[in-house]
């Protein structure tokens, strides 16, 4: 069957129909200023938080097709800051992040799941201290000129050998560390 397009209006209508039928393409984003990556845990029952300045995020995402999503986050560990210089130097040491041997952590995920509304889950892999383990990041997507990904995850530090030796006692430091992030994005 041939379609004869004789008028500009017919051509425009045909093109609009083809574009509407085409699958949506994921947009590629990079991290913009204003982003933050935070961790929170306890030491002897007292909650403390810290940040990972210098982390970098690359994202490919279309909320209409989350299964095509891809996320790649690099986290320089030597920059971890908790507001206490003694604790920060301990975090960088061999018993915790061991930054002399493992300078960065990396989180990667391919294929996200919609979990309702503008919320999604990325079942990814965290590489930390030479160990790779699954970690799920749940996040809210706020579209706009500079979209925002606001997410949270839980990391079991002992799975990665973080806080081993004398620090392995979960009464002193819980195994689970809460991670939260707000990533401001811009189109690549």
């Amino acid at each position: 069957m041939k379609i004869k397009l004789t008028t500009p209006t017919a051509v425009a209508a045909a093109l609009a129909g083809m574009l509407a039928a085409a699958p949506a393409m994921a947009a590629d984003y990079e991290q913009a200023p204003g982003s933050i990556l935070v961790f929170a845990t306890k030491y002897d029952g007292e909650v403390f938080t810290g940040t990972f300045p210098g982390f970098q995020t690359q994202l490919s995402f279309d909320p209409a097709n989350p299964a095509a999503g891809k996320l790649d986050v690099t986290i320089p560990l030597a920059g971890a800051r908790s507001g206490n210089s003694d604790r920060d130097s301990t975090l960088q040491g061999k018993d915790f992040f061991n930054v002399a041997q493992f300078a960065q952590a990396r989180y990667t995920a391919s294929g996200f799941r919609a979990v309702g509304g503008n919320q999604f889950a990325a079942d990814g892999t965290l590489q930390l201290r030479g160990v790779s383990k699954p970690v799920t990041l749940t996040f809210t997507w706020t579209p706009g000129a500079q979209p925002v990904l606001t997410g949270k995850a839980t990391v079991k530090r002992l799975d990665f050998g973080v806080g081993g030796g004398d620090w392995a006692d979960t009464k002193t430091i819980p195994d689970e560390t809460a991670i939260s992030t707000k990533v401001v994005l811009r189109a690549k």
Side-chain angles (χ1 to χ4, degrees):
M1 175 178 169
K2 288 187 177 181
I3 299 174
K4 188 174 181 184
L5 302 175
T6 57
T7 67
T9 304
V11 172
L15 286 173
M18 287 188 293
L19 290 175
M25 300 298 287
D28 291 328
Y29 300 98
E30 63 187 1
Q31 185 176 310
S35 300
I36 188 165
L37 179 61
V38 177
F39 63 92
T41 191
K42 293 180 182 179
Y43 175 70
D44 279 342
E46 182 180 326
V47 174
F48 73 92
T49 62
T51 61
F52 292 103
F55 80 103
Q56 291 297 313
T57 305
Q58 303 291 319
L59 175 70
S60 180
F61 185 61
D62 173 11
N65 185 13
K70 293 182 183 178
L71 178 63
D72 190 343
V73 183
T74 55
I75 307 158
L77 298 172
R81 298 289 176 261
S82 69
N84 178 303
S85 59
D86 289 338
R87 182 170 44 225
D88 294 347
S89 64
T90 301
L91 287 173
Q92 294 175 19
K94 193 170 187 168
D95 286 335
F96 284 87
F97 295 141
N98 193 5
V99 298
Q101 187 173 355
F102 305 104
Q104 70 180 23
R106 185 173 183 195
Y107 180 78
T108 56
S110 294
F112 307 154
R113 296 178 283 120
V115 293
N118 60 344
Q119 297 182 8
F120 302 87
D123 298 314
T125 301
L126 177 63
Q127 299 169 350
L128 175 61
R129 289 182 49 107
V131 177
S132 295
K133 296 280 184 179
V135 171
T136 298
L137 172 73
T138 56
F139 66 93
T140 300
W141 179 256
T142 306
Q146 284 197 304
V148 177
L149 180 154
T150 306
K152 60 184 176 177
T154 300
V155 173
K156 292 189 174 191
R157 67 180 179 89
L158 295 174
D159 286 354
F160 298 92
V162 173
D166 293 340
W167 302 103
D169 180 3
T170 57
K171 291 178 185 171
T172 303
I173 303 173
D175 187 20
E176 294 185 342
T177 300
I179 307 295
S180 60
T181 190
K182 175 185 173 188
V183 185
V184 180
L185 297 156
R186 61 181 169 222
K188 279 183 157 182

